[in-house]
Amino acid sequence: MPNVIAYSSLLTWPLVMFFLLKRFGTAKGILLSLLIAYLLLPAGFEVDFPVIPPLNKYTLTSLVLLIYLIITNQPTGYKELKGWHKFVLMALIVSPFLTSITNQERYLFIQGLSLYDGLSQSGIEFLNFFPFLLGVAYFNTYDRQVLLLRLVAIAAVLYSIPVLYEIRMSPQLHSTIYGYFPHSFLQQYRDGGFRAVVFLGHGLVVATFLAAGFACLFALHKAQIRAWRFDNRLLLLVLFVTIVLQKSYGAIAYALIAITIISLFSPRKIHLASVSIATIFLTYPITSSIGIFPHQEIVNTAESLSPERAQSLNFRFEHENTLLQHALKKPEFGWGSWGRNRVYDPETGADLSVTDGNWIITLGTGGWLRFITLFYFVVMSIYLAYRTQKYLRGSEDEKNKQYLMSVHSLVVALILLDQMPNSSLHPLYWLVIGALFGRYKKILREWQVNKVNASLK
């Protein structure tokens, strides 16, 4: 049961945000607001007012940022999108309406959807996605890109302090401060110890954030940019040790992938690696449904490392397949909310499914329309970053920019890859993705201006 601190922290958060925006300026205030909300406010808790969508730490932060930008007459980022991109965004926002229209019948014991459900989900969809537009509008320059990667890296290093505390003492900070535990406590016990939860809701989400921060820090290190007052190598060591102690094989793999690719590959090959990851993600639902994805081979490999982990992985794959078959019964617009995307025993009503990956949750609730329109912007950002290579050639300064673009793209690709086993695509990551998308637009404009200036000389 959430206590007074949980309610007051959420309800007073807009005042803190206004202070951050005024004190640090719009761009840095946006980034700090998203970081602090993501890392410190209560997880799995929302206040449901009439008419407006339920407000949790994500939707409330986006709503306040939107209101602030409108009141102060500053760009919201929507005008930065052109043509086809705007159409895809509109399709993403409208998709919950189409889902509600095609799901008004009951599913076993679960009620049908109403148009109000569609309206509410559309609002939630937009507010969760809104930081992408902010990234496009406010983090499209090289300096802002460095600021973004630097603050995410520093935040991950600082977060390692409460993470290490909970690894040693058990995940209790959320219960102590906010009065409730946001998930299953049993799931946080692994290999004779605990995974930290802190204020992110689950140990795997914490591990993914640490891995993303590690990749950002390693990118700055290779670009010879000092992230903080301490040596980058010391900070990298602290983060990597924390990731290992967090006991998430996925996060350890992401960190090792980042180390290997960033250390050994050229910017062009880093871009190709990111594009390859995006391709695997996009084709995964299809290759899984027709049985050509090597699930069993992956389980066999995992079994050679840890039989317990192999069993867990096989359990995930089996449930994914069950949920996928259910999702494909309504492929266009999905089953909608209220748990209609899950599989139940028709006689007892027992829930027979476990939903972990964001991809299967998205496909099950919103069908192919929501899957394509949601992940379109992630994949498109990676693809556009790949295209910047031809616009960043020549001077040493442009080579540094190209290197940072390639590594930023890899960070986004790893975030996308994590949506296969987990569901971690939160507003902070949308800001990181939007910044990559915006950098392409900025680089292209600069290249076009330079080309015109050169022709006039």
Side-chain angles (χ1 to χ4, degrees):
M1 181 71 177
N3 58 20
V4 174
I5 298 176
Y7 280 97
S8 59
S9 65
L10 204 62
L11 295 177
T12 59
W13 176 236
L15 299 177
V16 179
M17 289 182 61
F18 284 128
F19 168 77
L20 294 173
L21 291 162
K22 286 294 186 182
R23 173 67 177 80
F24 297 102
T26 302
K28 195 171 183 179
I30 288 170
L31 178 54
L32 288 173
S33 295
L34 289 168
L35 268 172
I36 294 171
Y38 181 58
L39 298 177
L40 298 181
L41 290 183
F45 168 63
E46 60 187 24
V47 179
D48 195 357
F49 293 108
V51 182
I52 62 175
L55 296 177
N56 54 38
K57 63 180 179 179
Y58 305 124
T59 55
L60 178 61
T61 302
S62 292
L63 181 61
V64 173
L65 289 174
L66 177 62
I67 293 172
Y68 177 81
L69 294 175
I70 292 174
I71 291 175
T72 55
N73 197 29
Q74 297 186 69
T76 60
Y78 176 73
K79 292 183 179 179
E80 296 291 327
L81 298 183
K82 305 299 180 183
W84 175 253
H85 303 313
K86 282 186 177 180
F87 173 79
V88 176
L89 175 57
M90 289 299 101
L92 174 63
I93 295 172
V94 170
S95 65
F97 274 108
L98 300 176
T99 300
S100 65
I101 291 172
T102 56
N103 282 276
Q104 296 186 353
E105 78 286 354
R106 293 181 65 86
Y107 164 54
L108 297 179
F109 56 90
I110 303 176
Q111 66 187 36
L113 302 183
S114 65
L115 292 180
Y116 177 80
D117 292 320
L119 176 64
S120 177
Q121 287 299 315
S122 290
I124 294 171
E125 194 77 67
F126 174 74
L127 291 175
N128 284 327
F129 179 81
F130 181 59
F132 174 89
L133 300 178
L134 299 179
V136 173
Y138 293 96
F139 292 89
N140 55 23
T141 66
Y142 175 74
D143 290 339
R144 294 277 176 82
Q145 184 181 34
V146 171
L147 174 67
L148 174 64
L149 298 178
R150 176 178 281 148
L151 286 186
V152 171
I154 292 172
V157 172
L158 290 174
Y159 216 59
S160 65
I161 298 172
V163 168
L164 290 171
Y165 171 82
E166 286 201 343
I167 289 173
R168 179 66 182 88
M169 303 301 294
S170 81
Q172 55 183 276
L173 289 175
H174 201 289
S175 299
T176 302
I177 295 175
Y178 293 123
Y180 70 100
F181 193 74
H183 208 280
S184 166
F185 191 86
L186 185 62
Q187 287 191 19
Q188 317 315 321
Y189 187 81
R190 282 291 185 275
D191 299 332
F194 293 101
R195 287 173 174 161
V197 173
V198 198
F199 307 111
L200 296 187
H202 197 287
L204 294 177
V205 179
V206 175
T208 299
F209 172 71
L210 294 176
F214 180 88
C216 291
L217 180 57
F218 201 80
L220 294 170
H221 177 66
K222 292 298 292 185
Q224 298 181 337
I225 298 172
R226 195 180 185 90
W228 205 13
R229 65 183 65 181
F230 304 103
D231 190 295
N232 286 343
R233 290 169 293 184
L234 175 62
L235 300 181
L236 285 168
L237 177 62
V238 169
L239 270 182
F240 188 77
V241 169
T242 307
I243 291 169
V244 172
L245 293 176
Q246 184 66 359
K247 296 178 281 293
S248 167
Y249 282 171
I252 295 172
Y254 300 151
L256 292 176
I257 289 171
I259 293 172
T260 303
I261 293 178
I262 296 173
S263 299
L264 303 179
F265 288 9
S266 65
R268 179 177 177 275
K269 290 182 179 179
I270 295 174
H271 277 299
L272 288 174
S274 301
V275 171
S276 299
I277 291 172
T279 302
I280 292 171
F281 178 85
L282 277 182
T283 57
Y284 182 67
I286 298 174
T287 55
S288 292
S289 63
I290 61 179
I292 65 172
F293 190 86
H295 292 105
Q296 191 57 50
E297 288 79 359
I298 294 174
V299 171
N300 292 340
T301 302
E303 191 167 12
S304 64
L305 300 173
S306 169
E308 180 185 350
R309 299 293 174 143
Q311 184 180 5
S312 174
L313 193 60
N314 189 58
F315 178 81
R316 280 176 178 248
F317 287 152
E318 289 178 353
H319 279 270
E320 272 187 2
N321 182 63
T322 302
L323 289 165
L324 180 59
Q325 299 309 313
H326 180 63
L328 293 178
K329 294 176 182 177
K330 290 200 170 191
E332 296 89 357
F333 308 119
W335 288 87
S337 54
W338 301 109
R340 293 168 60 90
N341 62 309
R342 304 173 72 88
V343 178
Y344 303 90
D345 187 304
E347 295 183 3
T348 65
D351 190 349
L352 303 177
S353 53
V354 176
T355 52
D356 288 316
N358 196 1
W359 76 272
I360 190 60
I361 296 173
T362 302
L363 188 63
T365 56
W368 284 112
L369 177 63
R370 183 165 182 262
F371 179 90
I372 293 171
T373 54
L374 181 69
F375 293 113
Y376 166 87
F377 290 99
V378 188
V379 174
M380 183 56 64
S381 298
I382 295 171
Y383 170 68
L384 292 179
Y386 171 79
R387 290 188 59 188
T388 59
Q389 295 177 92
K390 63 181 180 181
Y391 305 124
L392 293 174
R393 291 178 179 175
S395 68
E396 192 65 29
D397 181 57
E398 287 187 333
K399 289 180 180 178
N400 289 337
K401 291 179 180 179
Q402 184 187 87
Y403 186 86
L404 207 60
M405 277 294 291
S406 66
V407 180
H408 190 164
S409 178
L410 179 63
V411 172
V412 171
L414 292 176
I415 292 172
L416 180 64
L417 183 62
D418 193 56
Q419 306 317 303
M420 292 171 69
N422 302 309
S423 182
S424 60
L425 192 55
H426 300 305
L428 175 64
Y429 294 153
W430 275 119
L431 184 77
V432 175
I433 296 163
L436 184 65
F437 188 97
R439 280 295 289 141
Y440 167 78
K441 309 291 285 187
K442 188 72 171 179
I443 289 169
L444 178 60
R445 282 196 292 266
E446 291 174 349
W447 179 81
Q448 290 171 339
V449 170
N450 292 337
K451 186 176 180 181
V452 171
N453 292 337
S455 65
L456 296 175
K457 290 180 180 179

